[in-house]
Amino acid sequence: MGFNIVLSSPSGAGKTTITKKLSQKYPNIKVSISYTTRKPRPNEIDGVDYHFVDVNEFENLIKKNNFYEHAKIFDNYYGTSINSVNKLHEQNYDVVFDIDWQGTKKLSEFKELNLIKIFILPPNKKELKNRLIKRNQDNKL
């Protein structure tokens, strides 16, 4: 099994940008693509940014124990697929996870993943607010 790197942060701190840059620069690193029930943002592609599914499908995946971790955040489910991660490992890729602190805590329960955990902070509160407003895709602060 290769490396498993977890990048977690508050929304808007830059973890998605960092994970994408890592996978672009290092071809042996692949991003774990989470499942979610939230609607795609205008620039997001199913199977690239997330696996977008409806609530029924997500709940069926939960019942079948298909997730390392899952959580309901702001009325939407998010989860890390065991099968997807295992498939990347079988193909000899290192895996980077772009998840929140709750997901990091749950992933940490799987000792066989040997996680390298990195928490990303924004430069300051003002910059974080500017990033979230500029993104203009979430609820107003």
Side-chain angles (χ1 to χ4, degrees):
M1 182 183 301
F3 288 105
N4 289 297
I5 305 160
V6 177
L7 294 181
S8 61
S9 73
S11 183
K15 67 183 173 289
T16 301
T17 300
I18 293 169
T19 57
K20 287 181 179 181
K21 296 225 181 254
L22 277 172
S23 67
Q24 289 167 358
K25 183 167 181 163
Y26 301 101
N28 63 309
I29 295 177
K30 296 292 182 190
V31 178
S32 170
I33 302 170
S34 297
Y35 280 72
T36 186
T37 58
R38 79 161 170 74
K39 299 294 178 212
R41 294 175 181 148
N43 60 334
E44 291 178 325
I45 300 167
D46 184 45
V48 174
D49 298 290
Y50 285 94
H51 296 289
F52 295 99
V53 297
D54 64 27
V55 172
N56 287 336
E57 185 175 350
F58 198 99
E59 288 175 345
N60 283 333
L61 291 169
I62 292 171
K63 288 176 189 170
K64 294 177 183 176
N65 293 316
N66 283 347
F67 294 114
Y68 274 119
E69 60 82 27
H70 62 85
K72 193 169 189 180
I73 303 166
F74 301 120
D75 297 324
N76 293 301
Y77 284 112
Y78 294 84
T80 301
S81 163
I82 294 170
N83 293 336
S84 295
V85 172
N86 287 344
K87 188 180 285 185
L88 291 173
H89 287 149
E90 288 167 9
Q91 296 169 347
N92 294 316
Y93 288 113
D94 296 324
V95 180
V96 63
F97 299 88
D98 170 356
I99 57 177
D100 73 351
W101 67 271
Q102 295 173 78
T104 301
K105 186 175 179 181
K106 289 181 183 176
L107 272 184
S108 297
E109 295 172 9
F110 296 90
K111 300 301 180 201
E112 69 273 13
L113 290 176
N114 260 347
L115 299 174
I116 299 167
K117 297 177 262 187
I118 302 168
F119 190 78
I120 309 296
L121 290 174
N124 54 55
K125 287 181 183 180
K126 182 179 177 186
E127 177 60 21
L128 177 60
K129 183 175 181 179
N130 288 339
R131 289 178 186 181
L132 292 173
I133 290 169
K134 185 178 178 184
R135 185 162 73 186
N136 194 24
Q137 296 164 337
D138 297 311
N139 294 334
K140 295 284 185 209
L141 301 175

